[in-house]
Amino acid sequence: MKGDLFASEHIVQPATQAGMTVENAKCIRYTVNGEMLARQGAMIAYRGNLQFERKGQGVGGMLKRAVTGEGLPLMTVRGQGEAWFAHEAQNCFVVEVDPGDEFTVNGRNVLCFDATLAYRIATVKGAGIAGGGLFNSVFTGQGRLGLVCEGNPLVIPVSPQYPVYVDTDAIVGWTGGLSTSLHRSQSIGSMLRGGSGEAVQLVLQGEGYAVVRPSEATPQKAQQH
């Protein structure tokens, strides 16, 4: 076969290493030899001897997802082979988590991760149940974490002198060592749209990095996740 579709940049090459690699801007390849975890429904293709099993999270996790619409519905992938993961053609990135690191990420941005990583669902301090989408997944341990983002994310340094204020619909995640709180302010955009004029930002303080996507979630997108 000939044509642009069969150009070398589109053809999958043999794996050069085990585990997680970025196949292209929109897709992550995972060479499985044992076990890994991924977002339910994110597998787009695989080859080899692999089994996929939905992973339960217990009553607490189910309750949080029911109340907030957030959380991390997972599946376990076991065996030997290769699998490709993607979500709505969003951009893909890999985060290396080392012992002692802690990375907090919004569940809607998680694509897949090594089984050596531990995670828990936590709420942003000060948000409570009324915070809605402010339930996040906290990753620790050692391994790789695959993320998706609508567009290329902004990675903003946070320092004690310069806290960062982020729209609650735009936050992707943040590194360990940062404290969080909520800040309410007057929003010109909200007033122009006929709203109450009040906006809520997530405040990140301390030493680390904030990861922000270059757009807010629309009401339709927020409901889907």
Side-chain angles (χ1 to χ4, degrees):
M1 298 293 293
K2 298 180 180 179
D4 292 343
L5 176 61
F6 295 94
S8 59
E9 62 262 31
H10 300 310
I11 297 177
V12 170
Q13 302 300 315
T16 58
Q17 66 182 82
M20 184 187 307
T21 55
V22 175
E23 182 70 43
N24 59 43
K26 308 293 183 181
C27 181
I28 283 178
R29 183 213 300 233
Y30 201 109
T31 303
V32 185
N33 183 21
E35 180 177 304
M36 56 85 63
L37 294 101
R39 179 194 192 112
Q40 287 181 19
M43 190 276 294
I44 58 171
Y46 78 94
R47 60 187 178 188
N49 183 21
L50 296 177
Q51 294 81 44
F52 301 84
E53 177 184 338
R54 182 172 180 172
K55 182 176 176 63
Q57 297 183 50
V59 175
M62 293 172 62
L63 176 62
K64 287 176 182 176
R65 290 204 301 277
V67 172
T68 67
E70 291 292 341
L72 191 56
L74 296 174
M75 61 181 177
T76 303
V77 184
R78 296 187 178 92
Q80 286 77 40
E82 294 174 293
W84 287 265
F85 300 95
H87 181 66
E88 297 181 349
Q90 294 184 16
N91 291 352
C92 295
F93 305 88
V94 173
V95 175
E96 300 265 0
V97 180
D98 292 322
D101 289 347
E102 183 176 278
F103 189 68
T104 301
V105 61
N106 195 307
R108 68 188 172 208
N109 297 104
V110 174
L111 184 64
C112 56
F113 56 94
D114 291 340
T116 53
L117 290 177
Y119 75 96
R120 69 183 190 275
I121 297 177
T123 183
V124 170
K125 184 178 179 181
I129 294 297
L134 295 183
F135 280 93
N136 296 281
S137 300
V138 183
F139 286 87
T140 56
Q142 184 171 22
R144 291 186 172 188
L145 169 64
L147 301 180
V148 291
C149 180
E150 294 179 349
N152 286 323
L154 306 173
V155 180
I156 306 174
V158 183
S159 68
Q161 297 80 15
Y162 295 101
V164 174
Y165 296 74
V166 183
D167 186 287
T168 55
D169 287 328
I171 187 70
V172 173
W174 59 90
T175 57
L178 296 180
S179 62
T180 61
S181 60
L182 295 180
H183 174 72
R184 298 183 182 276
S185 65
Q186 293 299 111
S187 166
I188 294 177
S190 179
M191 288 188 284
L192 290 176
R193 292 192 296 268
S196 65
E198 185 175 65
V200 179
Q201 295 91 35
L202 177 67
V203 186
L204 298 164
Q205 296 174 295
E207 195 81 39
Y209 294 92
V211 183
V212 183
R213 65 176 178 165
S215 66
E216 297 181 359
T218 64
Q220 293 79 13
K221 284 285 185 182
Q223 290 173 6
Q224 288 175 8
H225 296 292

